[in-house]
Amino acid sequence: MKNYFLKSVMVLLVICGAVSCSSEDKSSASTKELAAGTPVDGINKFQAYTQKYTENTVLTQNHATGHVGDLFFTHWKDGGTTSLTIKMDGNFNVSWQGGGYNYVGGPGWHFGYINRVIGYNFAEDSGANFITVYGWGYDKNMPVTDPAHLVEYYILQRWSDAYEPSQNGVFGKTFISNGVEYSTYRTLREEKPSINSTSTFYQYWSKPNQPLALGENREIIFADHVKAWADTGWILPDMNNFDASDDPTYQVMAVEVFNPPKDGTASGRVWDATK
C-alpha cells in the first residue's frame, strides 16, 4: 500500500543518487550512504534502479532503490524517521520511530518469478504491521477498466492487528503450502497510487492462520500462492516487465509500518531458495 511518488521525484532521485538532496537527509551526516556503482542491465527505463552498491549500505532518505550485491531493494517513506540497513549477504534491518507516516522496504528482486522460492529468517520483529512477500503484476494489454490488469500482492508471514485484510476482502480459499495453512483474500483499491500512476487495481492476499514464529529458516513457494489465487479466478498478470510508468514489477521481502505508535525494529535475512 505504498504511495508512489511522481516521475519528477524519480528524476530527482536519479540526480541525487544514493544521497538525498533534502534538508532532512543532509542532517544524517553520521550515516554512510554509498555512491552509485555499476549499472544493472535491463532496467535502464528506471534509472534509479540501476545503481548498484558494492558494500553494506545504510539508507535513511525518503526514497531509494537499487541493488546491494545480488539483491534489489526498495526503501520508501512519506515522512518520519526510518532506516534500512542491507548487507551483501542478504541480512537486513529496518528501524523506525513512532509517528504518523507510512514506510515499506526490504530486499528482493526487481522482477517477480512464478517459480521463485523465497528463503528468509526473521530474527526480530517489535511491531511491524506486515512482514510479507510483496510485489506487483501488470499487463498493459488489458483494459484499465479491469482491476485485474494491475495487482499488488502480499504473502503475509507476520502482521499486527492494525490492518486485517479478511475484514474488507473477498474470501478465496484455504490451502497448505510448505506446511503452512493460508487463506486467500482479494481487496479492491480504487484510484490509488501504484507502480502505474493512480489506478484502480486488485490486491491479492495470502494469510497464515497465525503469525509465523521468529528465528526459523522458512521457504515461501511462490507458485503455490499464484495457483491458489488462480483457483478462484484471481489471475496474476505479468510479473517481469518494465511497462508500468513508475516502477518495474519487483518482488521483495518487505517490512511495512504505518502510523507506528512507538519505536521498533525488524531484522532478518533473505535469499533465493529456488532449486
Side-chain angles (χ1 to χ4, degrees), residues 207-223:
K207 178 189 173 188
N209 55 13
Q210 61 184 4
L212 302 183
L214 297 171
E216 299 178 4
N217 286 355
R218 297 187 180 277
E219 294 184 355
I220 299 171
I221 303 172
F222 186 60

Side-chain angles (χ1 to χ4, degrees), residues 9-158:
V9 181
M10 292 291 290
V11 173
L12 178 61
L13 177 59
V14 173
I15 296 172
C16 298
V19 181
S20 171
C21 294
S22 71
S23 59
E24 169 199 33
D25 301 316
K26 289 179 180 178
S27 65
S28 303
S30 62
T31 299
K32 181 179 181 182
E33 294 171 353
L34 303 175
T38 305
V40 176
D41 292 336
I43 55 174
N44 291 328
K45 176 180 176 181
F46 305 105
Q47 295 182 44
Y49 287 70
T50 66
Q51 58 190 357
K52 187 169 184 177
Y53 303 93
T54 57
E55 298 179 33
N56 299 341
T57 303
V58 180
L59 303 139
T60 60
Q61 61 265 43
N62 280 356
H63 313 300
T65 52
H67 289 73
V68 174
D70 295 330
L71 291 175
F72 164 83
F73 70 85
T74 182
H75 167 80
W76 179 94
K77 60 187 173 74
D78 60 6
T81 301
T82 308
S83 66
L84 170 64
T85 302
I86 303 180
K87 297 184 177 181
M88 296 291 289
D89 61 2
N91 279 287
F92 75 105
N93 173 273
V94 175
S95 297
W96 63 88
Q97 293 183 357
Y101 65 95
N102 182 29
Y103 171 82
V104 61
W109 301 268
H110 69 262
F111 63 97
Y113 174 47
I114 191 170
N115 291 320
R116 180 174 288 133
V117 179
I118 299 99
Y120 80 90
N121 186 323
F122 265 83
E124 184 180 15
D125 170 25
S126 60
N129 291 96
F130 298 141
I131 290 178
T132 181
V133 171
Y134 172 66
W136 293 83
Y138 174 60
D139 186 346
K140 67 179 181 180
N141 296 316
M142 293 178 64
V144 296
T145 53
D146 183 350
H149 83 286
L150 178 64
V151 171
E152 182 183 37
Y153 60 84
Y154 290 80
I155 303 175
L156 298 179
Q157 303 296 285
R158 296 179 60 82

Side-chain angles (χ1 to χ4, degrees), residues 170-223:
V170 176
F171 173 74
K173 65 177 293 185
T174 297
F175 71 104
I176 295 176
S177 175
N178 205 19
V180 178
E181 182 176 272
Y182 292 88
S183 295
T184 64
Y185 302 90
R186 187 183 72 183
T187 51
L188 178 67
R189 299 277 285 170
E190 296 186 84
E191 291 302 303
K192 299 295 183 182
S194 75
I195 64 168
N196 198 44
S197 301
T198 301
S199 303
T200 296
F201 55 92
Y202 283 133
Q203 295 172 316
Y204 298 167
W205 302 82
S206 290
K207 178 189 173 188
N209 55 13
Q210 61 184 4
L212 302 183
L214 297 171
E216 299 178 4
N217 286 355
R218 297 187 180 277
E219 294 184 355
I220 299 171
I221 303 172
F222 186 60

